Amino acid sequence: MKKILGFALVLALCLSLSWSASARFDPVAKEDLKVGMVYIGDVEDMGYTYAHHQAALAMAEALGLAQDQLLWKDSVPADQRCAEALEALVQEGCQLIFANSYDYMDYVDQAAAQHPQVIFSNCSGTLSNGVNFNNYFGRIWEARYLAGMAAGLKAKEIGNPHLGYVAAYADVPEVVYSLNAYFLGAQAVYPEVTLTVQAVNSWYDPQGERQAAEDLIALGCGVLSQHCDTSGPVMACQEQGLYAVGYNADMSGAAPDAFLTAPIWDWSGYMIRTVRQVMEGTWEPVNYLGGMADGLVNLAPLTGNCAPGTQEAVQAVQSQMMEGSFQVFTGPIYDGQGNLQVEQGQALTDQEILSMTWLCQSISLA
């Protein structure tokens, strides 16, 4: 195993050296540029893909790109159709292609190997090649924690400590650290809370997401949250007279009486910077992890459905996050088996968070 790891490190170093020596991309004139997008969902899903598409539109406007310079394929499943969508965008002349799903990464990796003259940037995932393929994501756990505070205060107000969570998957680190952060935020303001997680086993399943929400409501959950792509769970809460924390975008319009807030993304800054680098010929295959301090992640405006005092409580912690004095995963933190995962006073590093597979104590799977 050590030999394998050593070889991997040497290979990574060689790739880095070969990149710096010879693999820089030539500048692309603005009028010649075409930017492609491959989306897992519909651009009108009011969630994950919607947030990505709005960022792409904002990027095109900020950089003065014409309408026909931004191309996209939406509702693309993570199967051979993803490979076909990527190939189509290459053939249509895109010099840069963004793909917005964790499940796309193997297809993007293959496309990057087949088309070394094209730059590929995949949202989330674990793959990159140090040449023409990087990944980008953010410290969404910061906004998750704040959203959890809002949920916990609402749960305390209504006297129901049983929280529900619709998850895309229950065994992917991105989902695990997100729901853990949300729970820790809720627990900080309402120590009695518990969290039940219902997995959909898909990143994008409108019917499954709504059904999972309805199942959690049937279990007695009073406030729901989600790590899935559509507004189905908040709409289910709207219909049942309960409360919800959304994800990806401000979903208040879909559930005006239920919606509390949502961890949200603003991908536009990353996209603007990346596209500008491609035009200038300065792009490098460096993975990107942004956070609240640089505007990549944030919290949707708290609505009037929130419990009294929520704004003040959330703002106090958010200010500490922005200053760097508050870390979400600071011990002591125990897992569901009672094992101490984070020591008293210690804080997990980004890499430890990004590889998290354990659930906090008082979290259960439905």
Side-chain angles (χ1 to χ4, degrees):
M1 178 61 72
K2 288 182 179 179
K3 289 182 179 179
I4 293 173
L5 290 174
F7 175 76
L9 290 172
V10 171
L11 179 60
L13 178 59
C14 290
L15 285 172
S16 175
L17 291 174
S18 65
W19 163 259
S20 61
S22 61
R24 290 193 179 277
F25 291 89
D26 292 333
V28 179
K30 184 173 76 171
E31 60 271 18
D32 296 329
L33 181 66
K34 287 188 177 181
V35 179
M37 313 291 300
V38 180
Y39 296 137
I40 191 71
D42 190 291
V43 294
E44 299 297 336
D45 67 7
M46 295 307 297
Y48 181 67
T49 291
Y50 173 82
H52 247 92
H53 190 57
Q54 292 302 304
L57 295 175
M59 173 274 295
E61 181 177 1
L63 297 178
L65 300 185
Q67 187 174 0
D68 62 357
Q69 291 180 268
L70 180 64
L71 295 76
W72 66 86
K73 314 289 184 183
D74 64 348
S75 301
V76 178
D79 55 26
Q80 183 58 29
R81 284 167 286 186
C82 176
E84 293 168 357
L86 291 165
E87 181 64 28
L89 290 171
V90 171
Q91 296 307 318
E92 291 173 50
C94 293
Q95 298 95 340
L96 167 64
I97 299 174
F98 294 96
N100 81 333
S101 177
Y102 177 98
D103 285 348
Y104 286 164
M105 60 180 167
D106 288 323
Y107 299 99
V108 178
D109 188 34
Q110 294 165 15
Q114 293 166 1
H115 301 286
Q117 79 283 6
V118 177
I119 294 169
F120 295 85
S121 194
N122 192 74
C123 185
S124 75
T126 58
L127 297 180
S128 58
N129 67 8
V131 180
N132 66 324
F133 167 33
N134 78 324
N135 62 60
Y136 63 99
F137 205 58
R139 297 179 181 88
I140 194 63
W141 55 85
E142 296 173 339
R144 288 282 188 190
Y145 184 95
L146 299 177
M149 291 180 64
L153 288 169
K154 189 64 182 181
K156 187 174 184 179
E157 182 188 34
I158 65 176
N160 183 351
H162 193 182
L163 304 178
Y165 199 100
V166 179
Y169 297 92
D171 56 355
V172 173
E174 177 189 329
V175 180
V176 173
Y177 63 66
S178 292
L179 66 88
N180 277 340
Y182 175 81
F183 173 76
L184 290 172
Q187 187 182 54
V189 296
Y190 190 13
E192 292 78 17
V193 293
T194 60
L195 181 66
T196 299
V197 180
Q198 177 76 48
V200 180
N201 295 316
S202 173
W203 292 108
Y204 180 73
D205 182 355
Q207 289 184 327
E209 293 166 25
R210 177 181 277 269
Q211 183 60 55
E214 292 173 354
D215 292 344
L216 289 167
I217 291 170
L219 290 175
C221 299
V223 180
L224 265 58
S225 187
Q226 64 182 79
H227 192 136
C228 53
D229 286 358
T230 76
S231 57
V234 300
M235 293 174 69
C237 288
Q238 172 78 15
E239 294 167 5
Q240 298 281 346
L242 300 176
Y243 300 95
V245 170
Y247 182 41
N248 298 304
D250 187 336
M251 297 176 172
S252 56
D257 302 318
F259 185 75
L260 302 177
T261 185
I264 59 175
W265 299 96
D266 183 355
W267 306 104
S268 62
Y270 173 76
M271 289 184 181
I272 290 169
R273 182 166 62 255
T274 300
V275 174
R276 183 176 286 126
Q277 289 170 347
V278 171
M279 290 192 293
E280 295 172 348
T282 60
W283 184 85
E284 296 184 0
V286 178
N287 295 335
Y288 174 77
L289 184 69
M292 190 166 288
D294 55 11
L296 184 73
V297 302
N298 211 327
L299 196 67
L302 297 165
T303 71
N305 301 320
C306 290
T310 300
Q311 183 72 54
E312 294 79 5
V314 168
Q315 183 59 54
V317 176
Q318 185 171 6
S319 296
Q320 294 175 36
M321 285 182 177
M322 300 287 279
E323 296 166 357
S325 61
F326 182 89
Q327 302 295 323
V328 169
F329 292 102
T330 300
I333 303 175
Y334 293 85
D335 66 19
Q337 287 70 49
N339 301 310
L340 182 64
Q341 289 288 347
V342 187
E343 298 281 349
Q344 171 76 39
Q346 298 298 308
L348 295 183
T349 65
D350 285 345
Q351 290 307 311
E352 288 171 331
I353 296 170
L354 291 168
S355 60
M356 186 180 295
T357 57
W358 50 269
L359 297 176
C360 290
Q361 202 167 41
S362 299
I363 297 177
S364 61
L365 301 179

